[in-house]
Amino acid sequence: MVWLRLVGVALERTPPVSIKLVAERAGVSPATVSNVLNNKASVSPAFSNRVRRAVEELGYVADSNASRLRSGKHSLAAVVVPDLTNPVFSAFVSTLERAARQDGFNLLVVSCDNAADQEADRLRSIRSWRPAGLIVIPCDGALAARLPQGACLPIVVADRIPDDAAFDLIAVDNAQAAGVVAAHLAAQGHRSCLVVGSTLSISNVRERWEGASAAAGPMTIRLLEAGLDPSLLRRRLRDRLTGGPPLDAMFTLDHVTTLVAYQLLAELGVSIPRDMAFASFDEAEWMRLVVPPITAVRQPIEAMAEAAWRQLMRRLAGQGSAPNILRMTCAVEIRGSTLRRRGEPNTAAA
Amino acid sequence: MVWLRLVGVALERTPPVSIKLVAERAGVSPATVSNVLNNKASVSPAFSNRVRRAVEELGYVADSNASRLRSGKHSLAAVVVPDLTNPVFSAFVSTLERAARQDGFNLLVVSCDNAADQEADRLRSIRSWRPAGLIVIPCDGALAARLPQGACLPIVVADRIPDDAAFDLIAVDNAQAAGVVAAHLAAQGHRSCLVVGSTLSISNVRERWEGASAAAGPMTIRLLEAGLDPSLLRRRLRDRLTGGPPLDAMFTLDHVTTLVAYQLLAELGVSIPRDMAFASFDEAEWMRLVVPPITAVRQPIEAMAEAAWRQLMRRLAGQGSAPNILRMTCAVEIRGSTLRRRGEPNTAAA
DNA sequence: AAACCATCATAAAACGATTTATTGAACGCT
DNA sequence: AGCGTTCAATAAATCGTTTTATGATGGTTT
């Protein structure tokens, strides 16, 4: 077989560089090359240097998978997220990738486009890479049902809570943070709050709603479950705003809902916070930039990713204890969008 | 050796399921299993069914790497980006991941934290996975110097232009788009524009600056090269705004610059567009949400990712032609932040 | 000088898959 | 029956690596 070497796009005839080639060049056996590279058995300095020189000259990098095949030592992990374009998830992946790398792992990244069936498919096909472990942000609660049966690897679930509790889990204390926001809105004197979430089938949304409604106190609080599709979400919210009973506060529970709601309020000419207070779960960069800046719950995404990775490492180290469930605390950033100006009662929007 | 099977976190004794195990269970040879799964040689329906049943029962998924080792058929590609938290890059990766999957590839995602030395390291270590090809958004122009020598795989470069032209390249027409923005600012009657970019060592920033200054016409246009570090960037820009000659327009050339500049203007009480027009290269979600919405250049990130993947596929199909360079056209979204109100001359900010 | 012991290099087997070459059975034909 | 031809299934070789067992060399101890 003829091998073409491609540097950039220039072609050259070259066999792929294997440990055998290095051994040949150094005038030693493949076993010796392996021993040098993994500092295993003792190798004399003379041989060791010859090997290192050959490695250098040929630009040899050992095939991780052939290694793994023989030694059983993995250095690949995988992460499955619902959607890479969501900044929360991409920050998660970014941090995870760094953490993994520090422990000598590379990360296979897979998105399932918010679709449960795709998630099932990905979870299956990912196994063909024999990763050491999996970190999953599931599409919905029914994760366990989508796991391939023969699964033989540790899984850490993050952010969303599966119905089946038999997983290691890293999530935030949604109810607590949502409660802080609701209590803050009530304390500001708001009387009637609409909580908007995509769907209660996502555990986060459910917990946020429950936390908010438990802490609303004297404030009337209602839920609009608006779905995941932005245009549908938009229509439902619009109907509620123009048709329903008057409101003086709105609390959106996830990223897409916040975007749609914020834009809709601007279009309807609802002034924040004069006509209506506005708060969001999941903070984004722009919420500090707009005027007034938006009160938001900031999730400790980076800390979650790091915790998830550490948990996976613990499992790989063989700690076979009961599922470990970790809830992290969010920071609530109170900003201008929910502050009632002194002495100025806000008028309910139509 | 004792094997522990971990489903979720529950342990069970099980050997890892290999093709041998499937063969044994189906009462056939491993070769037959392989033939069934790859519909290679003809297998009788009776045997075929037995094999399929065994595969099903054991939840067998072939090891992609053992496959690759023998057959030479790759199904892994890798992408290296400077920074996953940048929404432009995460959108790129997201689209790429989908495109790759559709061609039966999985994607190894690696970030190099905006550091050239880390990029070099990653490019080396990534080779140990023997990916079919690489897609790289380089940290800076000196990519070629950081490529490991023995490299034997096709590389497609995206977004940023390497000094060494011997790569397939997918980028946008920076100069053209920046020119449109500059011409628009001039046409709006602005007299003096500050262009703010991180560093000219990034080809994109250089091309944008050149495009803008070539199209400025009668408008005076100056460059501030403010660096990549946000706090330093902020100080330099602040000094320029409070100390320098008066300005009536600002054009920021990359993501981080835009964020810092926009916030700084708000703090300084500079009203957009009354006191100063504001435009940005790289559009983000929030630019449509703020008041007034911000004029921005929208790069066709998704189209770039798809084009990059197609180019890689072409190389894998063995098209060994000269480097293919593709420049895509950006959309310029003119919005309120650069529109001068009729008859109202803007006063130059201090 | 024989016996023993380190030390260091290697040959060969193994990992999990695919491929090539081989076997054996069944069938049709003279 | 003898012979060629298919067809189906498999044994064995192979990919790149690590590991285990073996062998060679030279030095120290009796």
Side-chain angles (χ1 to χ4, degrees), chain A residues 38 62-76 127-132, chain B residues 1 3 16-20 60-71 128-129:
Chain A
N38 304 313
D63 182 323
S64 296
N65 284 300
S67 278
R68 192 245 323 154
L69 205 52
R70 178 61 240 242
S71 73
K73 280 168 191 133
H74 299 241
S75 56
L76 183 73
R127 288 189 53 224
S128 77
W129 299 106
R130 303 289 189 265
Chain B
M1 174 148 193
W3 290 95
V17 32
S18 71
I19 198 172
K20 250 185 260 173
Y60 171 71
V61 183
D63 182 323
S64 296
N65 284 299
S67 279
R68 192 245 323 154
L69 206 52
R70 177 65 240 243
S71 72
S128 77
W129 299 106

Side-chain angles (χ1 to χ4, degrees), chain B residues 141-210:
Chain B
L143 174 66
R146 289 194 293 275
L147 281 178
Q149 37 177 332
C152 183
L153 78 178
I155 298 176
V156 176
V157 176
D159 192 50
R160 296 174 178 177
I161 299 97
D163 303 332
D164 186 324
F167 293 97
D168 288 325
L169 173 68
I170 316 287
V172 297
D173 193 341
N174 289 294
Q176 184 266 341
V180 170
V181 171
H184 160 71
L185 288 171
Q188 289 288 308
H190 300 288
R191 304 280 96 214
S192 167
C193 177
L194 180 68
V195 174
V196 192
S198 51
T199 161
L200 292 182
S201 72
I202 294 177
S203 65
N204 281 349
V205 175
R206 194 167 56 242
E207 292 184 354
R208 289 167 195 176
W209 159 243
E210 286 163 2

Side-chain angles (χ1 to χ4, degrees), chain B residues 120-331:
Chain B
D121 181 56
R122 297 306 129 66
L123 286 170
R124 224 185 84 82
S125 76
I126 243 182
R127 290 189 52 223
S128 77
W129 299 106
R130 303 289 188 264
L134 237 53
I135 291 179
V136 183
I137 300 183
C139 282
D140 61 36
L143 174 66
R146 289 194 293 275
L147 281 178
Q149 37 177 332
C152 183
L153 78 178
I155 298 176
V156 176
V157 176
D159 192 50
R160 296 174 178 177
I161 299 97
D163 303 332
D164 186 324
F167 293 97
D168 288 325
L169 173 68
I170 316 287
V172 297
D173 193 341
N174 289 294
Q176 184 266 341
V180 170
V181 171
H184 160 71
L185 288 171
Q188 289 288 308
H190 300 288
R191 304 280 96 214
S192 167
C193 177
L194 180 68
V195 174
V196 192
S198 51
T199 161
L200 292 182
S201 72
I202 294 177
S203 65
N204 281 349
V205 175
R206 194 167 56 242
E207 292 184 354
R208 289 167 195 176
W209 159 243
E210 286 163 2
S213 62
M219 180 173 70
T220 304
I221 189 168
R222 289 254 162 60
L223 175 71
L224 177 66
E225 203 180 345
L228 277 162
D229 173 58
S231 63
L232 194 56
L233 197 165
R234 185 185 160 86
R235 203 164 66 233
R236 286 180 178 146
L237 183 55
R238 183 184 191 106
D239 290 349
R240 174 64 187 81
L241 286 176
T242 55
L247 297 169
D248 57 3
M250 181 140 95
F251 182 18
T252 53
L253 296 189
D254 51 37
H255 181 243
V256 55
T257 309
T258 304
L259 278 177
V260 170
Y262 186 76
Q263 189 163 21
L264 191 58
L265 289 181
E267 286 170 23
L268 294 175
V270 177
S271 161
I272 298 172
R274 190 168 55 81
D275 299 333
M276 193 184 291
F278 187 82
S280 154
F281 213 110
D282 266 13
E283 112 146 351
E285 258 170 349
W286 58 272
M287 298 184 188
R288 265 175 296 120
L289 301 179
V290 295
V291 182
I294 298 176
T295 292
V297 175
R298 184 154 46 78
Q299 302 191 56
I301 296 295
E302 289 79 12
M304 285 175 67
E306 277 159 10
W309 181 256
R310 276 197 307 272
Q311 177 62 38
L312 186 58
M313 286 294 101
R314 273 196 296 272
R315 285 287 169 202
L316 291 182
Q319 308 212 350
S321 58
N324 185 6
I325 296 187
L326 179 59
R327 290 282 190 158
M328 311 192 77
T329 306
C330 297

Side-chain angles (χ1 to χ4, degrees), chain A residues 43-50:
Chain A
V43 178
S44 70
F47 276 64
S48 175
N49 287 334
R50 264 156 60 193

